[in-house]
Amino acid sequence: MYRVTSATAADLFDITATRRIERAAAAALPAHTLMQRAGLAVARLAMAVAPHARTVWIACGPGNNGGDGFEAAAQLRQRGFMPVVTFAGDADRLPPDAKASLQRARDAQVIFAQEPPTDYELTIDALLGIGATRPPEGVMVEWLQEMDASGQPVLSVDVPSGLNADTGVLSRRISADARTPRVCLTFLTLKPGLFTANGRDAAGTVWFDDLGCDKHAEPPTARLAGRPKAPRRTHASHKGSYGDVAVIGGAPGMAGAALLAGSAALHAGAGRVFVGLLDPSAAPVDTAQPELMLRDGHTLDLSDMTAVCGCGGGTAIRAALPRVLTTAAALVLDADALNAIAADSALQMQLVSRAQRGQPTVITPHPLEAARLLGYAASDVQADRLAAARQLATRFGVVAVLKGSGTVIAADGDASPVINLTGNAKLATAGTGDVLAGMIGAALAAKQSPFEAACEAVWRHGHVADTWPADAAPLTAGTLARQAPV
Ligand SMILES: NC(=O)C1=CN([C@@H]2O[C@H](COP(=O)(O)OP(=O)(O)OC[C@H]3O[C@@H](n4cnc5c(N)ncnc54)[C@H](O)[C@@H]3O)[C@@H](O)[C@H]2O)[C@@H](O)CC1
Ligand SMILES: Nc1ncnc2c1ncn2[C@@H]1O[C@H](COP(=O)(O)OP(=O)(O)O)[C@@H](O)[C@H]1O
Ligand SMILES: [K+]
């Protein structure tokens, strides 16, 4: 059993793949073995999460997820805890493994009740796992609401009930005021839905137990990339070794966004950074960051540069795009550049033809920008973030970075998409996206592969927010841009 952190590199498997792995694992072991191992693992983690607990409320559902709960109840009872089980199901219709575990819980003198206990120190959510076919209803909803509001730790078995393990869509809203600490112990595979969309809020800290079944040949659905290697510079390197970045953006009134991207590219290690502003009346120098070379965004030669295009671009970016799309050696497209491309099929064709010419492009949409590019609603993008990122990558021949909680990075081709585990809501402030675009630009300019450049920059950007002290002033985009790579 191990705890998943942002440093963890691991494969993720959707429900269909997990089912195949589960069937193969079950076939290789004596009956009931997997559930016994799962229940024991839940009991062990419960004791670690709440060693002081006396009463543990275990909410069990109608399938094998409930079976894991019965098994954990039996184990906890044998260790002197007072588990109280509420069961939302029919004992006669339980699958065989779960039925056997129900009997073991009864034999261990576990208390069964109709209602949750009045006082308890830990809840185990064993209502629904990967077999959930529809959102929870009836008494399950009541119990889940009680858990959310209890303030006591919740340990979700395999998957938080109501969470789609493939997409991270949760059937209910968890209030931002809820102070309930959450852990999730997931079995056999790590599932993508635990790490994106609502998955992070619903699952809390994720623990993984392979139940002794670590060998299988199933291809992954997605990956956690883990901590990137620290950047190294050879002694004899020079500024040309790290490439040129040109930020194209900063329409009248929006120079700040372009300067933020430029500052981020500079601090992320680019050899030289130009900022091509689209505001003819812009000042000739940024005195706060004099290393940035300010130029006219419409005329800057991009043929040997990595362009970062769109930050604060406004409507002026439209006129600059045909030249940027055809000439930039490598390209990061953000914000208004993406909105302009979404509205113009000729620009879309120019974007697609970049890949055919071997000119790499990374796009960095947030969900609404992704929705515009795909012709969907933002809610459709959020309903399946992995699928949306893959579609963007394939349709435009790019590396797509779909931002938000659990940023997804997908490439056109066979590579599994990556879900990034760094970052938090401290980044939910204006300008942090411009900073990310600049950081990716610097990584591309240093000749990293576009997919690697995007994954590493997204990781580092989020890591700054993760390590930002809780008692420090809020993390602004300007401060974020000035952090050196880790
Ligand atoms: N079979 C095995 O080898 C193992 C199974 N394990 C556990 O088994 C779980 C999967 O078990 P199941 O396939 O039985 O699936 P679940 O226990 O997730 O749920 C399936 C049951 O819930 C019902 N159901 C689905 N959605 C519902 C809803 N919204 N309201 C009410 N009832 C609903 C279904 O009709 C079915 O009876 C895993 O998540 C994991 O916890 C683990 O013990 C590991 C080993
Ligand atoms: N709750 C969150 N968890 C993780 N990352 C977040 C969260 N909110 C915002 N971010 C990150 O912050 C950045 C915001 O980018 P964007 O929406 O383009 O903002 P802006 O245009 O103001 O710069 C993205 O990298 C996004 O992934
Ligand atoms: K569950």
Side-chain angles (χ1 to χ4, degrees):
M1 191 191 302
Y2 69 82
R3 184 166 68 91
V4 177
T5 72
S6 63
T8 304
D11 290 339
L12 307 174
F13 298 89
D14 64 11
I15 296 172
T16 308
T18 300
R19 287 294 195 195
R20 283 195 290 265
I21 292 167
E22 180 188 286
R23 274 196 297 277
L29 290 165
H32 311 317
T33 305
L34 284 178
M35 192 166 285
Q36 284 177 337
R37 289 180 185 172
L40 180 58
V42 171
R44 284 194 175 133
L45 185 58
M47 291 187 290
V49 168
H52 59 285
R54 183 174 147 70
T55 306
V56 179
W57 169 30
I58 308 183
C60 294
N64 285 322
N65 196 252
D68 293 345
F70 298 137
E71 195 67 42
Q75 296 286 351
L76 285 168
R77 186 74 198 101
Q78 284 159 11
R79 287 163 176 76
F81 290 80
M82 183 64 75
V84 176
V85 169
T86 58
F87 175 35
D90 177 348
D92 293 333
R93 296 174 64 186
L94 281 169
D97 282 348
K99 205 173 264 182
S101 294
L102 172 64
Q103 192 54 49
R104 266 193 288 278
R106 286 181 171 146
D107 293 346
Q109 314 288 316
V110 167
I111 297 168
F112 284 76
Q114 297 295 323
E115 304 279 333
T118 44
D119 286 311
Y120 51 91
E121 291 78 38
L122 172 72
T123 307
I124 295 177
D125 160 20
L127 287 169
L128 293 168
I130 58 169
T133 47
R134 56 190 190 281
E137 51 208 37
V139 74
M140 286 196 193
V141 174
E142 281 168 38
W143 291 350
L144 289 167
Q145 282 168 349
E146 164 145 2
M147 289 173 206
D148 291 347
S150 71
Q152 299 292 1
V154 174
L155 192 173
S156 305
V157 176
D158 203 20
V159 183
S161 300
L163 185 82
N164 182 314
D166 286 345
T167 63
V169 172
L170 185 66
S171 62
R172 64 187 190 283
R173 190 177 278 276
I174 295 182
S175 155
D177 298 335
R179 293 280 182 268
T180 303
R182 290 171 191 276
V183 294
C184 173
L185 174 55
T186 200
F187 299 125
L188 293 174
T189 64
L190 288 168
K191 290 98 184 153
L194 296 172
F195 302 108
T196 197
N198 304 118
R200 295 287 301 273
D201 283 327
T205 306
V206 176
W207 290 75
F208 174 64
D209 195 317
D210 67 10
L211 303 181
C213 311
D214 61 342
K215 300 263 183 306
H216 60 79
E218 200 64 43
T221 311
R223 282 188 305 119
L224 304 177
R227 186 186 190 106
K229 287 198 193 82
R232 259 196 85 242
R233 296 195 157 206
T234 53
H235 203 274
S237 63
H238 52 88
K239 64 177 181 273
S241 317
Y242 303 103
D244 291 344
V245 170
V247 179
I248 309 291
M254 293 187 282
L259 294 172
L260 276 174
S263 173
L266 188 69
H267 291 275
R272 293 190 300 177
V273 181
F274 299 84
V275 180
L277 293 171
L278 303 175
D279 180 356
S281 62
V285 67
D286 176 6
T287 48
Q289 192 81 81
E291 301 89 340
L292 299 178
M293 291 171 273
L294 304 198
R295 297 285 190 275
D296 175 358
H298 290 292
T299 55
L300 192 55
D301 179 0
L302 305 173
S303 54
D304 283 325
M305 295 204 192
T306 296
V308 174
C309 180
C311 308
T315 48
I317 201 73
R318 166 73 191 77
L321 270 167
R323 197 179 68 86
V324 173
L325 287 167
T326 46
T327 63
L331 179 58
V332 181
L333 290 168
D334 188 35
D336 292 326
L338 297 174
N339 293 331
I341 290 168
D344 187 329
S345 56
L347 292 178
Q348 290 174 22
M349 280 163 61
Q350 285 180 325
L351 172 55
V352 171
S353 60
R354 285 184 58 78
Q356 290 151 4
R357 289 194 298 272
Q359 293 171 320
T361 310
V362 177
I363 65 171
T364 57
H366 59 51
L368 182 58
E369 289 156 355
R372 291 181 184 131
L373 284 164
L374 291 168
Y376 300 161
S379 54
D380 296 327
V381 168
Q382 291 298 79
D384 194 341
R385 288 168 54 78
L386 273 173
R390 272 198 236 100
Q391 280 169 28
L392 285 167
T394 311
R395 186 176 300 182
F396 298 112
V398 298
V399 170
V401 175
L402 176 58
K403 296 184 291 195
S405 178
T407 291
V408 179
I409 303 110
D412 183 23
D414 294 336
S416 314
V418 159
I419 299 181
N420 179 66
L421 280 198
T422 60
N424 59 58
K426 288 182 192 139
L427 292 172
T429 175
T432 55
D434 304 316
V435 172
L436 176 65
M439 292 173 72
I440 297 173
L444 268 181
K447 298 283 179 285
Q448 273 189 283
S449 84
F451 188 62
E452 230 177 75
C455 291
E456 296 196 9
V458 169
W459 193 95
R460 293 196 166 99
H461 178 259
H463 185 68
V464 177
D466 288 349
T467 48
W468 191 248
D471 56 355
L475 178 60
T476 63
T479 306
L480 179 66
R482 287 182 153 75
Q483 305 301 308
V486 282

